[in-house]
Amino acid sequence: MSTSLREDIDWVGVVDWNVRDFHGYRTDRGSTYNAYLVRDEKTALIDTVKAHFVGGLLANVSALTELDKLDYVVCNHAEPDHSGGLVEVMRACPQAELVCDEGCRDALTRYYDTSGWRFRTVADGGRLSLGRRTLQFVLTPMVHWPESMFTYVPEEKVLFSMDAFGQHLATAGRFDDEESLDVILDEAKSYYANILMPYGRPIARTLDRAAELPIEIIAPSHGVIWRSHIDSILSAYRDWVRLKVRPKVLVIYDTMWKSTEAMALAILEGAAGNGVHARGLYVRANTLTVIATEVLDAAAVAFGSATLNGTIMPQMAANLTYLRGLRAYGKAGLVFGSYGWGKSAFPELTGYLEAMKFQVLRDPLVSKFAPSAEVRAECKAAGRMLADEARRLAAE
Ligand code: FEO
């Protein structure tokens, strides 16, 4: 089944209702792998799909054009959720040239046997006429990989934006005005936090370049197509690329016998109110995906762990490793937790905060076994400190 974006420009991708784990990213609302067909004097397929969905893609394309008359297959991004179908597509479309940049060509040759493929490599600003319409290529390194690019059709003001502005969201409607905007933006935020957050600077440069293009439709490689709420997604991206924070305090923790949890609750009690949104996130009740999404716009974060076998509890360490890689920089924070006979978890926790360039507000808050009334009061005061700093950072 296809959907028309413009006359002779159609979505021909597939909906993956059932995916729940996308290389570790929890995708509770499924996803889509979007591909697009532009029919003109020449015909171009923009991107493909995950390998095991290629049958659906080819059925959608062949309903609109004869496969052996396809002239071009554009690969905007070599990651296999978009390139996995290329092997079958290039076999089914023997006249097609594979259009991509040099970096993408190199990546594709390392994933697939490309020996029978005819490549047409393009540079930044390169153009390819299809007849009445033109494909214009905008290289977007690190959005999401080094070889990535956008394809733009100036005559139609349509931007094929690959991963940028995408969402892991399976829907029956293809457009942003056919589904709940709150849900779409929620998934776009999760996508940015979990996939794109480390690349804020190159994405900011890409946004500047996109701002130079007249755009009426943004067609990403995942989720719904933007046509009615383009300003909303561009505005959200402008906030996310600069890691703009809200007056929000998170208390992320793991606990063994509820001592660290009691400290977490006292910190939350101190942080809540006066315009600050405070939220507790027990790492064994929340996924890495949800926690990273919450961290994106939080101003202050307390990380807590009981000491287990002389180190941090494992699920907490997994979260910290994940967040360190996502480079959730520029926040305030502190560490806390309980111990029995050794305090070695706490310098480890602090080390993660320093690696994430957090402003560490105080020495670790620690409790030998269950927190006393004095320790709980100290936790509550620390919560107030986090809230004060969150308000200050959000106002900057
Ligand atoms: Fe949807 Fe970076 O691949």
Side-chain angles (χ1 to χ4, degrees):
M1 191 187 74
S2 61
T3 305
S4 183
L5 282 68
R6 295 283 206 219
E7 185 180 356
D8 290 335
I9 299 182
D10 295 270
W11 176 88
V12 289
V14 297
V15 180
D16 187 350
W17 294 100
N18 299 324
V19 64
R20 291 293 179 271
D21 184 327
F22 188 95
H23 61 50
Y25 179 147
R26 181 79 194 168
T27 50
D28 285 328
R29 291 184 172 120
S31 193
T32 70
Y33 313 110
N34 296 339
Y36 303 93
L37 189 70
V38 184
R39 286 174 290 160
D40 207 306
E41 292 165 28
K42 301 278 191 181
T43 302
L45 174 66
I46 314 288
D47 288 318
T48 72
V49 297
K50 261 187 184 173
H52 62 280
F53 287 102
V54 72
L57 169 70
L58 288 172
N60 290 341
V61 174
S62 59
L64 297 171
T65 193
E66 293 173 55
L67 294 177
D68 60 5
K69 298 226 169 102
L70 191 74
D71 296 288
Y72 303 112
V73 177
V74 176
C75 183
N76 279 326
H77 179 22
E79 193 162 9
D81 52 327
H82 310 296
S83 69
L86 276 175
V87 173
E88 281 304 312
V89 167
M90 296 307 282
R91 195 183 346 256
C93 305
Q95 302 303 319
E97 283 184 279
L98 195 291
V99 181
C100 64
D101 64 38
E102 277 293 351
C104 187
R105 176 178 178 151
D106 177 65
L108 294 175
T109 59
R110 293 168 192 276
Y111 272 122
Y112 313 111
D113 176 3
T114 63
S115 51
W117 301 5
R118 288 183 299 127
F119 280 93
R120 178 188 287 245
T121 54
V122 296
D124 188 39
R127 297 166 81 93
L128 178 61
S129 174
L130 300 181
R132 289 175 294 119
R133 278 86 61 92
T134 312
L135 302 183
Q136 182 178 326
F137 305 104
V138 180
L139 269 52
T140 59
M142 301 318 296
V143 187
H144 160 221
W145 280 6
E147 87 308 341
S148 303
M149 68 178 190
F150 289 172
T151 297
Y152 177 62
V153 183
E155 296 84 356
E156 301 286 358
K157 301 182 175 62
V158 174
L159 180 70
F160 299 105
S161 66
M162 178 251 311
D163 280 346
F165 315 118
Q167 330 94 50
H168 280 314
L169 177 61
T171 53
R174 295 273 64 79
F175 293 98
D176 59 349
D177 46 27
E178 297 178 321
E179 302 289 335
S180 158
L181 184 60
D182 286 346
V183 170
I184 297 168
L185 287 171
D186 189 45
E187 289 299 338
K189 180 182 176 187
S190 173
Y191 192 91
Y192 184 88
N194 286 275
I195 301 280
L196 299 175
M197 188 163 22
Y199 313 116
R201 278 192 193 158
I203 295 170
R205 284 194 290 273
T206 300
L207 286 176
D208 290 344
R209 295 198 64 193
E212 297 165 5
L213 304 172
I215 294 172
E216 292 181 357
I217 294 178
I218 297 177
S221 291
H222 299 286
V224 299
I225 297 161
W226 300 94
R227 67 179 178 189
S228 296
H229 301 289
I230 289 176
D231 287 348
S232 299
I233 188 64
L234 291 179
S235 166
Y237 261 63
R238 278 191 281 273
D239 286 347
W240 296 335
V241 294
R242 64 189 182 96
L243 294 173
K244 179 179 165 60
V245 295
R246 298 198 302 121
K248 181 165 103 174
V249 172
L250 300 179
V251 180
I252 303 172
Y253 67 96
D254 203 349
T255 191
M256 288 177 66
W257 295 107
K258 306 293 185 190
S259 298
T260 300
E261 184 166 73
M263 298 174 78
L265 296 177
I267 294 169
L268 282 167
E269 191 183 338
N274 297 315
V276 168
H277 172 66
R279 182 168 181 194
L281 291 164
Y282 173 41
V283 294
R284 281 184 277 153
N286 292 278
T287 62
L288 293 170
T289 307
V290 164
I291 289 173
T293 306
E294 287 288 341
V295 166
L296 172 62
D297 60 359
V301 188
F303 291 94
S305 176
T307 304
L308 175 65
N309 302 327
T311 185
I312 304 167
M313 293 186 73
Q315 201 57 28
M316 192 63 189
N319 271 275
L320 286 161
T321 302
Y322 189 54
L323 292 171
R324 184 179 58 191
L326 289 173
R327 299 182 212 163
Y329 292 160
K331 303 175 188 302
L334 57 84
V335 305
F336 68 97
S338 65
Y339 68 98
W341 49 94
K343 299 182 187 176
S344 45
F346 306 116
E348 278 189 60
L349 282 169
T350 303
Y352 277 105
L353 265 63
E354 289 168 352
M356 291 190 286
K357 300 184 170 56
F358 270 51
Q359 174 197 351
V360 181
L361 296 178
R362 55 155 294 159
D363 293 340
L365 269 165
V366 300
S367 173
K368 183 160 185 170
F369 297 123
S372 63
E374 290 75 20
V375 170
R376 287 175 199 243
E378 198 181 1
C379 290
K380 204 167 160 183
R384 287 193 292 272
M385 184 189 298
L386 287 163
D388 288 345
E389 196 57 22
R391 271 189 294 271
R392 191 188 70 74
L393 289 171
E396 279 185 350

